[in-house]
Structure formats: C-alpha cells, structure tokens
Amino acid sequence: MRRISLAAAVLVLAAAGCSRWGITSVAPRAAVQDSRPRAVRVTTFKGSTVTLAEPIVRGDSLVGLLQQNGNRTTAVSLGDVASLETRRVDVPGTIALIAVGGAAAFGLVLLAVLFTYSPTP
C-alpha cells in the first residue's frame, strides 16, 4: 500500500509541474479579471518583459508583484501591453513525463524484485 501511495504522490507532483507559458487570446483586462491567474508574463510594445505575481486590474493598469525584483508592487499600463501570457497545462509534456516516470518506476521495482529474489531449493 505504501508503494501505491508513493507512486500516486510522484504522479501528482509530475502532473502539477508540467506547464508552459501561453499567450492569451483575450484582452489583458479580461484575461486577468476572468481567470484570476497566479502570475502573468507581460511583454510591452517597447520589448521589455516582466512577470507579475497575483495580478489585478486597477484602473487602466495591470498591477502585481514584480518577481524579478524582490516582489515589489509594479504597475504596467494596459495600453502598453503588447502580449500577455499565463501558465497553462502542457498536456503532451505531462503525458510523456508520466509515461517515462511510470516506466522508470516499474523498471526499478522489477530490478529490486529480481535482485532480492532467491529461489528455495
């Protein structure tokens, strides 16, 4: 039973870790207000990119904690936002990681059984 719990924990952690940044298909205001992401990556028309944690829309600005500089509050004008990205689950990557992790775990268990098995005469 303990092995099953350990395997389940590993699979949950692997699935939680497979994500990627993806450009939103809606306006930045709607993306932040509707889905309430934990973090967004903002690219401005000037070419700078910042990652904001806990973003909110306040007036005509996107406000959040600037992760690159000790979590200080920063605002970016919505008019300056060229693109906005949010974290999304990477389904193919998650499936591949689970498959490879499962095969590796199976192989390790098989090796452990083979090396500890001793037939009785």
Side-chain angles (χ1 to χ4, degrees):
M1 185 66 166
R2 185 175 179 188
R3 288 182 188 161
I4 293 172
S5 298
L6 179 62
V10 168
L11 290 176
V12 167
L13 289 174
C18 290
S19 63
R20 62 178 172 80
W21 288 104
I23 296 177
T24 60
S25 59
V26 297
R29 177 184 299 272
V32 171
Q33 288 178 336
D34 295 346
S35 64
R36 299 188 187 269
R38 288 185 178 183
V40 294
R41 190 160 60 184
V42 180
T43 302
T44 66
F45 286 111
K46 292 181 180 179
S48 63
T49 301
V50 294
T51 302
L52 299 176
E54 306 300 330
I56 59 169
V57 175
R58 189 176 295 153
D60 66 347
S61 297
L62 184 59
V63 179
L65 299 174
L66 184 63
Q67 293 182 328
Q68 292 100 324
N69 197 2
N71 286 339
R72 68 179 171 91
T73 302
T74 303
V76 177
S77 171
L78 288 170
D80 291 339
V81 176
S83 69
L84 184 81
E85 298 172 89
T86 57
R87 299 294 291 177
R88 299 184 181 165
V89 175
D90 182 8
V91 176
T94 301
I95 291 170
L97 184 61
I98 290 172
V100 169
F106 178 76
L108 289 173
V109 169
L110 185 61
L111 285 173
V113 168
L114 290 175
F115 282 114
T116 58
Y117 176 75
S118 59
T120 55

